[in-house]
Amino acid sequence: FDQYLSYKNLFLSFLIYRLLNIFFNQTWFVADEYWQSQEVAHKLVFNYGYLTWEWKEGIRSYIYPLFIAVFYKLSQFCYLDNTKLLVYISPVIHSVLTAVGDFYFIIYAKKSFGQKIAYLSCLCRLLSWYSIYTSSRSLANNLEELFTIFSLNTLEYDTLRPNYTFFNIAGFFSFILRPTAAVNLVPIYCYQFFLLCNRHDLKIKFFLNFLIVGLITILFGIGIDSFYYEKFTISWWNFFIFNVQKNIGIHYGTHEFHWYFTQGYPTLLFLHLIIFAFGLKSFKILKFQLITILFNILFYSHKEFRFLGQVMPFTMIICAFGIQNINNFFGRNFAIKVAVVTGIGNVLLALFLGLLHQRAPITIMNYLRDSNLNETEKLLFLTPCHSTPFYSYLHKNISLNFLTCEPNLENLSDYKDQADRFYENTFK
C-alpha cells in the first residue's frame, strides 16, 4: 500500500479531496466566516466593505484578512474580480491549507504512533463531518488547527542539536492570529518544556529561543496592525481588555459551564464518539492528547463549536486507537463495520449541513450578485445581524444596510442593540 502513497501522491490526494469539499459547502455556518475575513479583505483591496465594531475598536489582527487580500488583489490585477472566481478564492485557499494540514497530520501521527495509527487517524479526520463541513470555510479557527499541527510536527525530541525556532514560530503566529489560541498552546508548550527539554541546558536554550522568536513575531504583528489601523495598536491586548476584563462577549449570549462536555464536544464527535470511547482504553499512551483536549474544554469561557476545532487532531488520534481496540476486542470484521457506519453517518450529516441547512443566506447573495443592481439602489436586510455575506459576495458598491448588534460599548443603562429593538417593535 505504501508504494502508492509517496509524499507527492499523498498530498495530491488530500488536495483533490479538500477541493471537492468546496462544492458540498453551499451554506452559511457562522458570521465570522465572512465578517472577520473576506469582508475585511474585500475592503482592503477594493476600498469598500463593512467593518464590524471589532475592527473599529482594534481587537482583531489584520494579518489573517491581509493574507486573503493578497489573492483578491491578484484577481483584480487579472481583471477576474467581477467573475464567480472572487467568491471561490477564499474557499480554494482554505481547502489548500486544510490539505497541507492533512499532510502534516499524518506525518506527525506516523512519527509518533506508527504507520497503522497514522492511516486510521487520517481516515477518521477525512471522514469527520466537522472537517468536511468547515475545511473550505474562511475561519481563523482553521488556521489555529493548522498551526497546532505545525506545532506538533516541530516538537523537538533531539537532545543533541535541538532547534526550537519552528516550534515557537508556529505557536506565536497562532497566538497573534487569534489570542484565544493561547489556551490550546499552554499544554503543548508545557509538554515541550517540562518533558522533552529534559535537561537544564535544554530548558535555557528553549526559553531564550522562546523570547527571541516571540519578540520578533509579536513586533511583526504590532507593525502590521499599527499600519492598517493607522495608529499604534496591539490587537491581542485590546482583545484581552474587551473580552476578559470588560467581558463584552456576554452580549452575544452565554452557555452553562458544562456545555462543551454535554453538547459542544459530543456534537463535534458525532458517531466518532463510539470509537473515541474505545480509544480511552489506551489513555496511558494518550495522556498528552487527553490533557490538551480537557484543558481546552475547561478554559474556554465563550462557547462555540468552532473553538474546539484545534483539538480535533488530538481527537482523531484517540479515535484511531479506538478502532484498533475494537479490532482487538471484537475482531477485524466488526471493526470494519463500525468504521464504515461511522464514516457513512458523518458524510451524510456533512452533506445535509453543507447543501441544505442554512442555505438561504448564500442563495440570496448569489441571486443579488447576478441581478442587474446599479449604484443608486439600496438594500436593507431585516434579519438577525450578520446573517448573510456582504460586499465580499455582492461585489457591487451600492448602499447595503442591516440590523446591527454592537455590544454596549459605552456602558449605557438599559442598552438594547438595533436588532433587538426592531424585533421587539416589529408589529407595533
Side-chain angles (χ1 to χ4, degrees):
F1 187 60
D2 270 353
Q3 63 180 314
Y4 301 106
L5 285 179
S6 64
Y7 282 156
K8 177 182 177 182
N9 291 338
L10 196 61
F11 177 72
L12 286 176
S13 300
F14 291 145
L15 182 59
I16 293 170
Y17 178 76
R18 293 305 183 181
L19 289 174
L20 288 174
N21 284 179
I22 295 174
F23 301 101
F24 297 105
N25 281 319
Q26 306 295 324
T27 56
W28 183 94
F29 175 35
V30 289
D32 281 8
E33 181 181 353
Y34 310 101
W35 295 83
Q36 308 297 351
S37 53
Q38 297 182 44
E39 191 66 19
V40 183
H42 190 276
K43 185 171 178 60
L44 286 174
V45 175
F46 302 106
N47 298 318
Y48 66 94
Y50 188 97
L51 297 183
T52 60
W53 68 271
E54 293 101 324
W55 298 94
K56 298 170 185 176
E57 298 294 335
I59 71 171
R60 300 286 186 180
S61 175
Y62 268 96
I63 293 176
Y64 176 45
L66 185 61
F67 172 68
I68 300 173
V70 171
F71 295 91
Y72 279 3
K73 191 67 179 178
L74 184 61
S75 72
Q76 184 189 45
F77 180 78
C78 298
Y79 302 102
L80 295 171
D81 56 293
N82 286 315
T83 68
K84 275 286 187 180
L85 177 66
L86 188 69
V87 174
Y88 285 103
I89 284 176
S90 188
V92 168
I93 293 170
H94 287 81
S95 294
V96 172
L97 292 176
T98 305
V100 172
D102 295 332
F103 178 73
Y104 281 102
F105 173 68
I106 197 171
I107 289 177
Y108 163 72
K110 189 173 183 178
K111 178 175 64 177
S112 302
F113 302 102
Q115 177 177 289
K116 184 177 180 180
I117 292 298
Y119 288 151
L120 289 175
S121 58
C122 183
L123 182 65
C124 290
R125 174 179 167 86
L126 294 175
L127 294 177
S128 164
W129 76 266
Y130 182 78
S131 180
I132 298 171
Y133 183 54
T134 62
S135 62
S136 61
R137 298 183 184 274
S138 307
L139 293 170
N141 308 92
N142 288 344
L143 291 188
E144 280 187 69
E145 183 188 26
L146 179 62
F147 279 113
T148 296
I149 294 171
F150 285 164
S151 295
L152 295 175
N153 269 280
T154 53
L155 282 168
E156 188 57 77
Y157 297 87
D158 185 11
T159 58
L160 297 177
R161 295 181 179 179
N163 183 358
Y164 303 111
T165 302
F166 292 109
F167 175 78
N168 283 317
I169 288 175
F172 275 100
F173 257 97
S174 180
F175 173 75
I176 63 176
L177 282 173
R178 279 187 64 85
T180 53
V183 174
N184 189 51
L185 292 171
V186 167
I188 298 176
Y189 267 80
C190 288
Y191 182 69
Q192 174 70 75
F193 185 78
F194 291 107
L195 292 180
L196 301 183
C197 298
N198 55 9
R199 298 200 312 265
H200 184 65
D201 59 323
L202 294 180
K203 285 180 166 57
I204 293 175
K205 184 173 182 177
F206 175 80
F207 185 69
L208 291 175
N209 188 277
F210 174 86
L211 292 178
I212 295 170
V213 172
L215 180 63
I216 294 172
T217 308
I218 287 176
L219 287 177
F220 171 76
I222 293 174
I224 292 292
D225 289 335
S226 298
F227 177 80
Y228 283 100
Y229 280 113
E230 299 181 343
K231 62 181 180 180
F232 181 75
T233 302
I234 305 177
S235 59
W236 54 268
W237 178 251
N238 293 338
F239 183 93
F240 173 82
I241 295 297
F242 274 85
N243 286 282
V244 179
Q245 183 177 342
K246 296 183 178 181
N247 197 22
I248 291 293
I250 198 172
H251 175 75
Y252 298 105
T254 59
H255 290 99
E256 296 293 337
F257 74 94
H258 56 75
W259 186 84
Y260 274 138
F261 285 102
T262 58
Q263 297 178 58
Y265 192 54
T267 299
L268 291 186
L269 283 170
F270 188 45
L271 295 181
H272 278 66
L273 185 60
I274 300 170
I275 54 179
F276 179 86
F278 277 93
L280 295 178
K281 183 181 183 298
S282 304
F283 72 94
K284 292 183 180 179
I285 305 173
L286 301 169
K287 289 180 182 177
F288 169 52
Q289 285 72 25
L290 289 168
I291 289 173
T292 305
I293 293 170
L294 187 61
F295 192 85
N296 276 267
I297 291 175
L298 289 174
F299 280 86
Y300 265 119
S301 57
H302 187 64
K303 294 173 173 57
E304 292 187 45
F305 295 114
R306 60 194 174 95
F307 287 173
L308 289 184
Q310 71 272 17
V311 304
M312 294 308 281
F314 304 99
T315 302
M316 296 302 110
I317 288 173
I318 296 173
C319 288
F321 274 92
I323 295 176
Q324 180 173 267
N325 290 337
I326 291 174
N327 177 73
N328 295 337
F329 291 153
F330 304 106
R332 182 171 179 269
N333 290 336
F334 186 77
I336 291 174
K337 291 177 182 177
V338 170
V340 169
V341 170
T342 301
I344 292 175
N346 272 270
V347 170
L348 290 176
L349 178 59
L351 291 176
F352 168 74
L353 294 173
L355 295 175
L356 298 174
H357 181 64
Q358 299 187 143
R359 184 184 178 94
I362 307 301
T363 303
I364 188 62
M365 294 309 295
N366 287 334
Y367 170 79
L368 292 172
R369 180 184 174 88
D370 296 335
S371 301
N372 295 320
L373 299 174
N374 59 60
E375 294 186 1
T376 63
E377 296 187 77
K378 299 179 180 181
L379 295 176
L380 172 61
F381 292 86
L382 297 177
T383 62
C385 62
H386 310 126
S387 291
T388 68
F390 223 49
Y391 286 103
S392 59
Y393 257 63
L394 191 61
H395 194 54
K396 293 178 181 179
N397 193 8
I398 65 174
S399 176
L400 293 182
N401 286 288
F402 63 98
L403 301 174
T404 60
C405 54
E406 286 89 354
N408 188 7
L409 299 174
E410 299 178 3
N411 296 317
L412 301 175
S413 59
D414 299 323
Y415 173 80
K416 292 182 181 179
D417 62 48
Q418 191 179 77
D420 286 340
R421 293 200 307 272
F422 172 80
Y423 285 111
E424 283 184 0
N425 297 277
T426 302
F427 300 106
K428 292 183 180 180

